[in-house]
Amino acid sequence: MAIKSAQQLVQEAYTEVKTINTDQALALVKDNKCNLIDIRDVRELEKEGRVENSVHIPRGMLEFWIDPNSQYFKEGKLDLDKEMVLFCAAGSRSALAAKALQDMGFEKVSHVEGGFGAIKQSDFKII
């Protein structure tokens, strides 16, 4: 049995999902056209801070919290008609997560190139 590496999965995801830069993500946030979703672990948020106006959904719970038919669905947490813009620390987990949302049927999905590392260097406000 051939097992794909995590890096192979990430590279495949990069070819299948929309990647946007921090300027594009900030414009979507300012125009109220997206849900900015931070999928980092809670310990990463505690250590590094979080992005103002972002929604934290841990990577391990993303599919469950965003599925309206799941017992874990977070009613009112997201506007499911807006683009889902995901980010993690550097971009790998968010690419995989964006692919998972596409596989679920979400059509407006993207992830931020460079993740939180790039976001910290941009005009986003970190709180």
Side-chain angles (χ1 to χ4, degrees):
M1 169 174 69
I3 296 175
K4 288 185 181 182
S5 70
Q7 194 54 40
Q8 283 177 290
L9 292 174
V10 169
Q11 289 304 317
E12 289 174 9
Y14 283 145
T15 66
E16 296 180 34
V17 301
K18 179 180 169 187
T19 301
I20 63 174
N21 64 36
T22 56
D23 291 337
Q24 293 167 306
L26 187 58
L28 287 169
V29 170
K30 285 182 176 180
D31 291 341
N32 197 28
K33 292 186 176 178
C34 75
N35 299 285
L36 183 63
I37 304 171
D38 186 340
I39 64 165
R40 294 177 300 149
D41 182 88
V42 68
R43 290 176 294 276
E44 291 174 284
L45 274 71
E46 291 169 356
K47 181 179 177 187
E48 300 283 331
R50 66 178 198 84
V51 178
E52 184 177 59
N53 298 320
S54 66
V55 176
H56 178 242
I57 302 178
R59 173 63 190 103
M61 293 302 294
L62 179 65
E63 293 87 344
F64 299 100
W65 284 14
I66 205 167
D67 174 6
N69 297 311
S70 167
Q71 66 181 2
Y72 299 105
F73 180 66
K74 301 294 185 181
E75 185 73 42
K77 193 168 182 101
L78 300 172
D79 182 339
L80 299 182
D81 294 321
K82 291 182 181 179
E83 183 164 351
M84 305 295 170
V85 177
L86 308 173
F87 70 92
C88 60
S92 295
R93 287 176 289 172
S94 59
L96 291 172
K99 183 178 180 316
L101 293 187
Q102 284 182 181
D103 290 347
M104 289 177 73
F106 288 92
E107 295 177 1
K108 296 182 285 185
V109 179
S110 61
H111 82 109
V112 179
E113 181 178 29
F116 188 72
I119 287 171
K120 286 191 303 189
Q121 306 302 316
S122 73
D123 291 333
F124 276 99
K125 183 175 179 183
I126 309 301
I127 53 176

